[in-house]
Amino acid sequence: MHKDNLFAPLRPKTVLGIAAHPDDLDFGASGTMAWFAKQGAKVHYLIITDGSKGTDDLKVSPKELIKIRQTEQRAAVKAVGGKSVSFLNYPDSMLEVTMDLKRDIVRIIRSVKPDVVITMDPSMLYSANRGFINHPDHRAAGQAALDAVFPLARDHLSFPELLKDGYLPHKTKTVLLINFDQSNFYVDISETLTNKLSALKAHASQIPDMDEIFGFVKDISRRAGRKANFQFAESFVRIDVR
Ligand SMILES: [Zn+2]
């Protein structure tokens, strides 16, 4: 094993990606989603907001945009060989870490029963080097997802109303956090980079210059791959939950 890749490869049966917006998981993890699906995993996406603010087009209404982006996300899930996508439709750009949000995520975790959850690293506030502030929805989604994984989905006394509805407690074994600045785990996406590019292609409303994005994604995947002796890789902070 390469010294930068601190863990053995994962072979999950069920994977749940949890993110704020349509396209977040496809930028950060769709090569991995496709790789897991290719190995027989059931891959599910959970998108928390309605994506209704993601446009510079003054003519498109929020309602139209929600529809466009959900259609795009469904196509992207298909491109990675995913099984399902759920939308919670919280208003875009206003997401907060509330108990209602955590309950909504716990409900999905307890029904999908993932062994791996992939979400955004909520500790990523900004990157001065790269000159960006992480979207507050990304942080809120990641925080609520982590809280839902541990301890809320695991403990039957959390949200007794869910237990009453038949949602039994579930313990997720591994969390992969999308964090563009640091990582301890690399997934070989050499065979699924094309799926990733197709998934991104589905998000046409969000990507004005597809060739530029393809070049950028290939470049960062190649750079991540170099750290783990793969041609192309996606990188994560991996937590194996004890
Ligand atoms: Zn986003």
Side-chain angles (χ1 to χ4, degrees):
M1 198 184 308
H2 195 275
K3 68 176 172 44
D4 284 333
N5 212 7
L6 300 179
F7 298 87
L10 282 168
R11 285 282 181 121
K13 289 196 179 79
T14 307
V15 180
L16 174 63
I18 304 172
H21 311 117
D23 82 4
D24 289 344
L25 288 167
D26 297 311
F27 272 104
S30 55
T32 299
M33 295 293 196
W35 175 239
F36 288 156
K38 211 171 175 174
Q39 291 179 303
K42 293 187 186 91
V43 170
H44 303 272
Y45 278 39
L46 172 60
I47 307 300
I48 293 171
T49 79
D50 59 14
S52 58
K53 307 282 198 305
T55 186
D56 320 327
D57 185 344
L58 297 175
K59 281 174 294 202
V60 63
S61 75
K63 220 173 153 185
E64 284 167 319
L65 189 61
I66 292 168
K67 220 176 135 200
I68 291 167
R69 297 195 67 185
Q70 293 191 346
T71 304
E72 290 175 343
Q73 183 61 87
R74 285 195 184 92
V77 169
K78 218 176 238 176
V80 304
K83 266 227 155 337
S84 80
V85 52
S86 313
F87 299 97
L88 293 178
N89 287 321
Y90 281 74
D92 192 356
S93 295
M94 303 176 86
L95 196 63
E96 289 186 281
V97 186
T98 63
M99 289 318 284
D100 282 342
L101 173 58
K102 293 181 195 182
R103 185 187 300 104
D104 284 341
I105 298 174
V106 166
R107 189 181 293 113
I108 301 283
I109 290 176
R110 287 188 183 176
S111 67
V112 166
K113 303 186 195 319
D115 27 295
V116 173
V117 162
I118 302 180
T119 190
M120 321 287 285
D121 190 336
S123 72
M124 182 141 210
L125 185 53
Y126 59 84
S127 172
N129 289 340
R130 292 167 194 244
F132 83 87
I133 299 168
N134 194 14
H135 197 296
D137 288 355
H138 295 170
R139 283 185 272 130
Q143 182 68 62
L146 272 186
D147 296 354
V149 164
F150 178 89
L152 298 170
R154 187 200 63 173
D155 295 345
H156 74 280
L157 293 175
S158 304
F159 304 127
E161 66 276 30
L162 291 183
L163 190 61
K164 230 194 288 165
D165 287 344
Y167 296 100
L168 299 176
H170 175 75
K171 186 173 184 286
T172 300
K173 292 192 198 91
T174 296
V175 178
L176 299 181
L177 297 174
I178 300 166
N179 175 322
F180 298 104
D181 267 356
Q182 49 163 311
S183 38
N184 61 9
F185 181 61
Y186 298 82
V187 176
D188 184 354
I189 63 160
S190 310
E191 284 183 35
T192 54
L193 182 71
T194 49
N195 300 79
K196 177 164 186 152
L197 299 180
S198 305
L200 289 170
K201 203 170 177 184
H203 295 285
S205 76
Q206 302 302 300
I207 304 175
D209 187 338
M210 208 54 82
D211 287 339
E212 188 196 332
I213 284 293
F214 280 15
F216 170 73
V217 166
K218 277 185 201 160
D219 194 46
I220 55 165
S221 308
R222 200 176 291 119
R223 255 186 283 157
R226 230 172 270 149
K227 295 193 174 167
N229 284 344
F230 302 138
Q231 190 187 1
F232 296 107
E234 282 171 345
S235 61
F236 301 94
V237 176
R238 171 171 165 180
I239 308 164
D240 288 344
V241 188
R242 295 220 173 99

